[in-house]
């Protein structure tokens, strides 16, 4: 067969396929106003990627197995502002998913705007989830005007992970395997130098480049430890700038081996043993556990300044607003969420501290390591400042991170970073609250 | 340039002949006025609904506090949004970024496209391959461009820094260093979109009449001489058009920046369209976002008119 | 011949005195005679080298994506520029991708949306262009002027009001919301009108004498004569719609309705290291259009050349 006719044949095939596809596509044009959504599946949006995502998938499958007839279609969207923007746009459009994950700190930006629908507590209780079995602090934060707009699933603090062997060799562990206390930032830096000399190639790492949350988490943790002023209640921010500058300098010094690392790179550096210590979300615990196994140690963020503090938030389940919710689907959504939250112990294996209290007080939880080692983080947690524009995945956090990044990367000074942060906060404060 | 006058005259004759047709048609086509409306209506309906009406809605919204959530009731706030926009450092910064991106990309996107087209036009064997290589990237969805380049740009594990290392050069933080981020974005944009301009140039080259070259060759002009005094002058009009189109396209940049850097580091790459998106949808402020859109629209109109002026002067 | 009539943007452009076929034959024949290239071997070798170099530079990024898609996830996120992975090549990434349901859904959405937009755009633009070119309805001058002026309005600045409009019409998260705003293409109306202006009227007159009405003339005289330009417009609109990102990104939040470019960049799979998988998804997402391009290169090149300068 000559090349030409083979080409002709191929072309004919493509024409044919094209015609068939076009015909079906055009007939699809006829029903363009309809939405394609299957009736018996509930739509569930999450922002969990990585090991978290795998675990959530497993938990969802388990719920589907336990509850005959319940089908869940999970969609994972890119975490951060993209997720929350999409969620708000879908809710405003009235064709939102049936259930979605949301950070508790974001509730203030959603519930007052009518983007969420409240939960039916009786229905949840009917499916075995009682309010009194949930972490009290979190429940309190899930109310808006007395109505429950969120069902908390966990708290997820920012913590430290380390390689026990290397840390021990460098003398950074106490006899019972805890981190040695740091007396001051200066002391901490000295110890880290010691760690660099005795350990691998790198000191502690911290992935932050082009991330919309990490830089802020670290800053907020350390700044909260100083107890200095950070007041956003007025028209203009009142922030102790000198302390902030000191904190940023310390951050940059502490993590100078990871100046330009993004989150993935830092995770890889720690997981493959190039660095013995990482400042990280506990949600990446499973990745580390997979390679470091029993050598993996964990701890709440050490107290470098005056008081213990660690940035944190909580994953909660919400009902995005729907214009005409189908009662049967709503019922299924309640059922699904009740089952999910009660699987707290499974969720804890990924690293999170469950909001379901019977899970936390169980003996199985005490045996989970390093989870139980950093469980104390729940006691020292600090949440974002209580303003409408803050919270996980907010534009505020993005702006703070973008201001911090150059200082952490060494391309600008700590003072200019703090100046940018303050001016960004003032810009946000000057904006009318749209929610 | 005596040789140009002949075709020009021929063209003039052609257009006057067409004008004659038009006149003839006009006299016996009056009866089909109704049919004209019938033909134009579908387009005009869509045109009105999805272009004219949104322009109106946007203008109206820019004077209100409209919000994405239930609370934005759309109360009139007069010129507040515009006053805020002109005093908003983010508006100026993102406008600056947009203009800087346009400056960085327009020149290489025109020049590289021209070089590619000139090389391919030499008729070297393998035309199919050259055209595929230079144009195929234009056909990639932005998500693919993002996936490929975010891998190449990885500071620690990426291929580009891997290549630099072979030559003993320290890795560059392509997308995370304020100094380089916009350049990196410009590089991606060049790779992604140059194929389009390349094809436009190639078509323009093929439209240059051969007799011009024949005449030049008879006059003893060498290859370079023919390039300078025949090819490039003949491409002037096309170059002008491509440059205008490129400026307009670059001003509207959003996709690749939104995906690669989300506007970072420290807002160094955030274009105005992303600021409009962030303001309207992430921060719910539809009214203010509309006002910023209209400030941007104003800039585009001013630039279009300026370009038109410059362009038409050059034509004279 | 077709290229001549296919150039509405340059109505008065000087043409070759030689038939195009002759030129082409000469260009591809062994004795390359080229207007701006010397005849010696050195310029030819240099040109070939330059072409080869640029081709490599332009193909390497895409090649790296293809290469990565055949690696294991560990190799795909390893550092450096190793083209040959330590663990060998594998189809794992493709297998995983096919195991997840989203990619086919997005591909179908992309096809449905691109086909609908192209069909509607070509139909309404051609009709309007015909009306502007050949009929004398009242107000046509003003309307045509408005249409041409609106080419200057970038649709991107209308995202906020358009989204608000879709909210009001209760169309957010429907195909209609993605499709309808994209069918307004004043530039295409302009291009088609210019082309119709150039079609000799005698043919239509003959049909009219035979008693054909306006629609009949349009359908059986004008459209068949305009096939090349209609194809050019259709190809151009199709490619633009297929790769459009901003509006589909804004008008759809439901992953079941997303197009390939939006879905690939918005929806994440839940595995940790995923360079290989995302590369595989990317390759699959770009293959359809690339195949179409390879098969119809000549037509597509022509389409871009004729519509590009007047286009978006």
């Amino acid at each position: 067969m000559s090349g030409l006719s083979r080409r002709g044949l191929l072309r004919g095939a493509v024409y044919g396929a094209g015609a068939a596809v076009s015909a079906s596509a055009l007939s699809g044009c006829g029903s363009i106003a309809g939405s394609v959504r299957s009736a018996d599946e509930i739509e569930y949006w999450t922002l969990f990627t990585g090991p978290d995502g795998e675990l959530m998938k497993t938990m969802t499958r388990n719920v589907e197995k336990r509850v005959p007839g319940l089908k869940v279609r999970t969609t994972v969207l890119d975490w951060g502002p993209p997720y929350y923007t999409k969620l708000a746009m879908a809710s405003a459009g009235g064709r939102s998913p049936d259930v979605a994950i949301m950070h508790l700190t974001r509730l203030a930006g959603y519930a007052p705007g009518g983007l969420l629908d409240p939960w039916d507590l009786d229905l949840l209780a009917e499916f075995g989830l009682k309010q009194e079995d949930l972490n009290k602090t979190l429940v309190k934060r899930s109310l808006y005007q007395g109505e429950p707009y969120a069902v908390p699933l966990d708290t997820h603090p920012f913590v430290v992970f380390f390689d026990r062997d290397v840390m021990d060799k460098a003398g950074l562990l106490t006899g019972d395997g805890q981190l040695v206390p740091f007396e001051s930032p200066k002391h901490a830096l000295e110890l880290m130098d010691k760690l660099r000399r005795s350990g691998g190639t790198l000191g502690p790492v911290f992935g932050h480049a082009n991330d919309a949350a990490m830089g802020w988490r670290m800053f907020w943790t350390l700044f909260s430890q100083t107890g200095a002023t950070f007041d956003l209640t007025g028209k203009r921010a009142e922030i102790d700038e000198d302390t902030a500058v000191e904190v940023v300098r310390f951050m940059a010094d502490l993590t100078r081996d990871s100046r330009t690392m993004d989150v993935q790179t830092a995770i890889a550096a720690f997981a493959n043993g190039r660095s013995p210590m990482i400042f990280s979300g506990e949600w990446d615990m499973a990745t580390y556990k997979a390679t470091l196994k029993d050598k993996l140690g964990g701890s709440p963020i050490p107290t470098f300044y005056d008081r213990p503090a660690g940035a944190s938030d909580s994953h909660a389940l919400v009902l995005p607003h729907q214009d005409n919710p189908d009662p049967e689907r709503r019922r299924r959504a309640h059922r699904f969420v009740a089952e999910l939250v009660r699987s707290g112990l499974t969720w804890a294996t990924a690293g999170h501290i469950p909001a379901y209290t019977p899970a936390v007080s169980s003996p199985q939880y005490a045996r989970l390591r390093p989870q139980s080692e950093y469980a104390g983080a729940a006691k020292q947690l600090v949440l974002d400042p209580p303003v409408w524009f803050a919270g996980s995945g907010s534009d505020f956090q993005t702006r703070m991170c973008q201001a911090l990044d150059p200082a952490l990367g060494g391309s600008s000074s700590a003072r200019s970073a703090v100046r940018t942060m303050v001016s960004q906060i003032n810009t946000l404060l000057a904006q009318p609250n749209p929610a | 340039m005596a040789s140009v006058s002949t075709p020009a005259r021929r063209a003039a004759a052609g257009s006057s002949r067409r004008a004659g047709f038009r006149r003839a048609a006009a006299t016996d086509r009056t009866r089909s006025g109704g049919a004209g409306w019938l033909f134009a209506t579908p387009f005009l309906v869509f045109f009105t609904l999805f272009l004219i009406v949104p322009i109106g809605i946007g203008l109206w919204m820019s004077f209100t506090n409209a919000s994405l959530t239930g609370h934005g009731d759309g109360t009139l706030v007069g010129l507040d949004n515009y006053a805020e926009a002109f005093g908003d450092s983010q508006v100026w910064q993102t406008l600056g970024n947009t203009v800087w991106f346009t400056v960085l990309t327009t020149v290489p996107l025109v020049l590289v496209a021209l070089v590619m087209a000139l090389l391919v036009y030499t008729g070297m064997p393998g035309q199919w391959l050259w055209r595929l290589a230079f144009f195929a990237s234009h056909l990639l969805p932005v998500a693919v461009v993002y996936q490929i380049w975010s891998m190449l740009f990885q500071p620690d594990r990426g291929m580009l820094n891997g290549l630099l290392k072979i030559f003993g050069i320290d890795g560059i933080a392509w997308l995370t260093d304020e100094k380089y981020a916009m350049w990196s974005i410009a590089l991606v944009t060049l790779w992604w979109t140059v194929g389009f301009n390349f094809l436009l140039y190639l078509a323009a080259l093929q439209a240059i009449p051969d007799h011009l070259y024949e005449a030049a060759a008879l006059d003893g002009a060498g290859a370079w001489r023919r390039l300078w005094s025949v090819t490039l002058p003949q491409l002037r009009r096309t170059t002008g058009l491509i440059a205008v189109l490129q400026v307009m396209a670059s001003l509207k940049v959003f996709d690749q920046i939104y995906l690669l850097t989300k506007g970072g580091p420290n807002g160094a790459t955030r274009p105005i369209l992303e600021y409009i998106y962030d303001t309207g949808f992430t921060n719910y402020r539809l009214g203010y976002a509309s006002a910023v859109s209209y400030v941007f629209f104003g800039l585009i109109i001013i630039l279009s008119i300026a370009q038109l002026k410059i362009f038409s002067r050059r034509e004279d | 011949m077709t290229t001549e009539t296919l150039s509405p943007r340059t109505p008065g452009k000087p043409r070759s005195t030689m038939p195009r076929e002759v030129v082409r034959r000469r260009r591809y024949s062994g004795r390359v005679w080229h207007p701006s290239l010397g005849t010696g071997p050195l310029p030819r070798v240099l040109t070939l080298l330059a072409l080869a170099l640029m081709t490599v530079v332009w193909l390497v990024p895409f090649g790296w994506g293809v290469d990565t898609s055949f690696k294991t996830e560990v190799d795909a996120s390893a550092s450096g520029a190793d083209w040959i992975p330590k663990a060998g090549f594998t189809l794992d990434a493709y297998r995983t991708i096919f195991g997840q349901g989203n990619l086919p859904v997005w591909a179908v959405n992309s096809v449905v949306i691109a086909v609908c937009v192209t069909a509607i755009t070509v139909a309404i633009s051609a009709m309007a262009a015909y009306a502007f070119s050949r009929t004398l309805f009242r107000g046509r001058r003003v309307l045509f002027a408005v249409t041409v002026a609106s080419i200057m309005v970038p649709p991107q600045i209308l995202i906020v009001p358009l989204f608000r409009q879709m909210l009001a019409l209760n169309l957010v998260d429907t195909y209609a919301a993605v499709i309808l705003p994209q069918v307004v293409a004043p530039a295409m109306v302009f291009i088609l009108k210019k082309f119709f202006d150039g079609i000799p009227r005698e043919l239509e007159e003959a049909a009219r004498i035979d008693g054909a009405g306006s629609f009949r003339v349009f359908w059986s005289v004008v459209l068949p004569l305009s096939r090349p330009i209609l194809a050019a417009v259709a190809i151009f609109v199709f490619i633009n719609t297929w790769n459009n990102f901003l509006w589909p990104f804004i008008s759809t939040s439901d992953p079941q309705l997303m197009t390939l470019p939006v879905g690939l960049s918005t929806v994440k799979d839940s595995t940790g290291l995923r360079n290989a998988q995302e590369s595989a998804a990317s390759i699959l997402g770009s293959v359809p259009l690339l195949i179409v391009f390879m098969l119809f290169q000549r037509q597509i090149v022509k389409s871009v050349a004729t519509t590009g300068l007047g286009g978006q």
Side-chain angles (χ1 to χ4, degrees), chain A residues 57-141:
Chain A
K57 242 193 215 165
T58 314
M59 284 167 66
T60 307
R61 265 199 302 268
N62 289 344
V63 173
E64 283 177 332
K65 264 183 235 149
R66 280 204 297 278
V67 186
L70 182 70
K71 277 246 163 14
V72 180
R73 177 189 281 280
T74 305
T75 298
V76 186
L77 296 178
D78 206 1
W79 135 257
Y83 177 82
Y84 283 111
T85 308
K86 275 272 159 257
L87 189 60
M89 288 169 82
S91 304
R95 284 189 181 82
S96 53
D98 299 290
V99 187
I101 288 283
M102 175 177 279
H103 286 89
L104 218 42
T105 49
R106 293 304 299 267
L107 209 61
Y110 281 77
L115 294 176
L116 300 179
D117 293 335
W119 288 96
D120 182 339
L121 290 182
D122 297 335
L123 206 51
L124 285 173
E126 188 188 322
F127 297 125
L129 184 67
K130 295 192 286 285
Q131 282 289 85
E132 54 266 32
D133 285 340
L134 293 170
N135 181 315
K136 299 271 174 312
T137 329
L138 300 178
V139 167
K140 213 157 81 195
R141 281 195 66 112

Side-chain angles (χ1 to χ4, degrees), chain A residues 5-43:
Chain A
S5 71
R6 199 161 51 233
R7 197 188 171 94
L9 211 69
L10 246 170
R11 229 174 242 236
V14 169
Y15 273 126
V21 166
S22 307
S24 55
L26 277 173
S27 72
C29 280
S31 57
I32 47 178
S35 142
V36 285
R37 175 166 286 189
S38 87
D40 54 343
E41 268 182 335
I42 62 167
E43 303 265 333

Side-chain angles (χ1 to χ4, degrees), chain A residues 18 23 33 57 82 87 168 194 203-204 216 243 255 271 291 380 389 393 395:
Chain A
K57 242 193 215 165
L87 189 60
D168 204 20
K194 221 169 121 191
W216 166 253
T243 308
T255 62
T291 53
Q380 64 176 46
F389 51 74
D395 181 40

